[in-house]
Amino acid sequence: MIPRPPLPNPADPANPIPQEPVAGGMAFPPTAGFDPIFYVHHSNLDRLWAEWSYMPGKSCGHFPPQDWFDDNPWHFYDVTLENGS
């Protein structure tokens, strides 16, 4: 849980309004970057990926058949809207 600071209370400045804590931390995308462990966790994933990618004799598994790629359409976000949609 990520605690939130209390809100100011205009009616009674001496008694601020408490807020519910934000649940989730890294499990909740809007607050993931505020979780102190987020950057350490992702840095370690990058390190593990680099270590794995340079291991001799590694196996990535089997590549899916072409039918798997053709089965459903692939949609990509077009920032420039060049496709007219």
Side-chain angles (χ1 to χ4, degrees):
M1 297 288 244
I2 300 172
R4 285 199 237 176
L7 294 171
N9 186 347
D12 186 5
N15 293 311
I17 303 167
Q19 293 191 76
E20 291 292 322
V22 176
M26 277 200 313
F28 187 57
T31 62
F34 298 114
D35 193 321
I37 196 108
F38 177 83
Y39 298 100
V40 174
H41 171 75
H42 281 280
S43 295
N44 191 44
L45 290 178
D46 292 341
R47 182 192 65 80
L48 289 170
W49 179 261
E51 291 284 331
W52 177 83
S53 67
Y54 288 109
M55 291 173 81
K58 69 180 178 298
S59 175
C60 299
H62 299 288
F63 201 70
Q66 187 62 39
D67 291 344
W68 183 85
F69 291 101
D70 296 336
D71 198 26
N72 290 314
W74 294 74
H75 300 284
F76 297 96
Y77 182 71
D78 185 7
V79 177
T80 61
L81 296 176
E82 291 178 4
N83 291 337
S85 51

